[in-house]
Amino acid sequence: MTDERQLAERFRVAIRAVPVPDRPLRGRRRRPNYAGLLLGVPVTVAVLIAAFALSQLLIAYRAERAAGPDETLSPLSATLQRGEAIELVRNDSRVGRVDRIEAKLLTWDEYLKVPSALRSLPGDPHATPAATIVSVDAGAQNVWVVAVSGEVWPNGKMPERFGGSSPPSSPTPYPPYRWAMFIVDAARGQIALVATAGIAESWPPAFDKLPNHPRSP
Amino acid sequence: MHRRSSSLNESGLQEKTVDPRWQSLYADCRSDLYRVAAYLIGSAEAEEVVQEAFERGMHERNFFEDIGDPLAWLRRVTLRLAISRLRRRAVLERILPLAAARAPAQPDPDLHDALRRLPPTQRGALVLRYYFGADYSEIARTLGLTEKSVGSILTRARAALRRELA
């Protein structure tokens, strides 16, 4: 009991010694809500991730709709279907990461109307391009033009030496292009060439202007 | 019929719309509530806690008519708010050790240090018991516990305090 009384006395002395301000007490101030912040950050991140995923789905949906053939154009024959042409390019060794990939069916003549439809493509996309124009005699063949964005190496990833006795001891890989347009021979079902590529944009600007014929059954 | 104010202004309870009974209650128990809150959670937060307790009381409809013992009610709310802040602070201090509040100079630093090492509920129970002289039922009401658990909490708190003060 004495112990209890002593304890009570110590509490009384200690608490009564706490000075009380003469001025009026301050009201509640808004303090940072740390618990809210700790909870809010992951929630915000989750919302951002969900929004990003949704936007990607929307982009893919719109791209898929936009990639559909124009039914007002005459159908063209092709042994490959659209998805097969896309997969052919996707699996090509010159294609790395794929952010977006689409295909359009048209005639070679229609494709050649695109400005800079054919360009020489140095291994290093930052190098000054050679003035050479690739000459292709394809006539009125039907082609799948497959546009791909992400990482593309039209000349392969590694520099090659022709005529030497041995390859370079430590070859430096080429940096990738950001996009390229592959030409797939619609009749033979093979990649004919990488027609053009670039690093200035994230998607070939000419691709959206190309006509897109339906494939004849 | 007295009108009630929705909040306290900078000059405490000087608003003319405030029930005069609040002014006398504020004058009577402001210092005591502030001292206890400051002893538990420090002076800066104690001001907020006491003001908040009064604000809550003023938001109660028919406070003086319905509440039998206004002083006990304010003491209970102040203690609950202080303990709630102690709990939040304990969590924060576990995450961010640097956020631990520095103790102000105390007349009995041993007791204060020993108390700081106890869990928030034990601290509140000890202050209620030994400063306010509250019985078990009052402590149980204030802390939201049963009387039986108040007994065991006080026993543990006293034992821990004795160990710390030995």
Side-chain angles (χ1 to χ4, degrees):
Chain A
M1 199 62 175
T2 312
D3 197 29
E4 295 239 325
R5 277 194 194 140
Q6 281 176 350
L7 203 52
E9 185 58 25
R10 284 182 80 169
F11 269 108
R12 264 197 294 278
V13 170
I15 292 175
R16 282 181 185 161
V18 173
V20 181
D22 293 334
R23 56 172 172 72
L25 300 182
R26 291 194 192 96
R28 183 170 37 168
R29 282 165 288 178
R30 295 287 167 211
R31 291 167 174 276
N33 182 357
Y34 295 109
L37 280 175
L38 287 172
L39 183 67
V41 168
V43 168
T44 307
V45 169
V47 167
L48 286 175
I49 289 171
F52 178 74
L54 192 65
S55 70
Q56 292 300 303
L57 280 173
L58 271 172
I59 288 169
Y61 173 72
R62 288 179 63 185
E64 193 178 321
R65 284 198 64 179
D70 182 352
E71 298 297 338
T72 61
L73 298 175
S74 57
L76 298 179
S77 64
T79 52
L80 286 182
Q81 294 186 14
R82 183 181 308 278
E84 290 171 329
I86 286 173
E87 285 311 302
L88 192 65
V89 171
R90 192 195 295 274
N91 295 322
D92 190 84
S93 62
R94 290 166 288 186
V95 176
R97 192 190 76 244
V98 175
D99 294 337
R100 183 180 166 190
I101 186 164
E102 286 178 28
K104 285 183 175 179
L105 181 60
L106 55 154
T107 66
W108 180 241
D109 288 335
E110 284 173 326
Y111 177 74
L112 289 177
K113 289 175 189 163
V114 170
S116 305
L118 292 169
R119 291 195 303 154
S120 64
L121 298 166
D124 181 355
H126 300 285
T128 306
T132 323
I133 298 297
V134 180
S135 172
V136 177
D137 179 19
Q141 269 187 1
N142 300 335
V143 292
W144 284 107
V145 177
V146 181
V148 57
S149 71
E151 290 180 338
V152 187
W153 290 267
N155 282 321
K157 292 180 185 174
M158 302 295 283
E160 287 179 22
R161 177 185 288 182
F162 296 102
S165 56
S166 60
S169 55
S170 59
T172 307
Y174 290 131
Y177 283 78
R178 293 178 71 192
W179 61 264
M181 285 209 282
F182 283 71
I183 306 298
V184 177
D185 186 326
R188 290 161 57 191
Q190 291 176 345
I191 294 175
L193 76 158
V194 184
T196 182
I199 54 170
E201 312 86 1
S202 59
W203 181 250
F207 182 79
D208 295 336
K209 295 173 189 151
L210 291 174
N212 191 10
H213 290 258
R215 179 172 166 266
S216 59
Chain B
M1 187 66 184
H2 300 294
R3 290 176 62 197
R4 288 179 296 114
S5 164
S6 60
S7 64
L8 301 177
N9 62 15
E10 273 298 305
S11 56
L13 288 167
Q14 300 303 310
E15 266 187 80
K16 56 185 176 184
T17 57
V18 171
D19 184 332
R21 285 177 289 183
W22 277 113
Q23 295 191 25
S24 63
L25 189 62
Y26 188 74
D28 286 348
C29 62
R30 158 193 185 265
S31 300
D32 212 22
L33 294 176
Y34 171 81
R35 283 193 185 104
V36 171
Y39 191 69
L40 284 171
I41 58 172
S43 54
E45 285 193 81
E47 292 192 37
E48 297 175 11
V49 160
V50 174
Q51 293 293 86
E52 192 176 341
F54 274 95
E55 279 183 28
R56 288 191 183 191
M58 294 170 84
H59 279 98
E60 288 283 322
R61 196 178 287 274
N62 303 322
F63 179 82
F64 289 102
E65 288 73 25
D66 295 345
I67 306 291
D69 186 349
L71 183 57
W73 188 94
L74 284 168
R75 184 195 300 161
R76 195 178 307 142
V77 173
T78 303
L79 261 290
R80 279 182 186 168
L81 289 171
I83 289 169
S84 166
R85 289 188 180 221
L86 278 178
R87 287 188 181 127
R88 280 211 301 270
R89 192 187 290 173
V91 172
L92 194 62
E93 285 175 4
R94 273 204 294 274
I95 303 167
L96 305 166
L98 288 176
R102 287 182 187 150
Q106 296 291 331
D108 191 346
D110 292 342
L111 179 67
H112 192 257
D113 287 347
L115 200 68
R116 284 191 66 191
R117 282 191 273 273
L118 300 183
T121 308
Q122 290 187 13
R123 283 191 241 183
L126 285 172
V127 167
L128 279 164
R129 180 72 177 162
Y130 295 110
Y131 182 70
F132 288 119
D135 58 20
Y136 280 24
S137 66
E138 169 64 13
I139 297 171
R141 262 204 309 281
T142 302
L143 301 180
L145 304 165
T146 61
E147 286 187 38
K148 197 176 170 186
S149 57
V150 166
S152 65
I153 282 172
L154 277 173
T155 305
R156 282 203 300 274
R158 274 192 297 259
L161 210 55
R162 260 188 229 108
R163 272 199 309 276
E164 295 286 345
L165 292 171

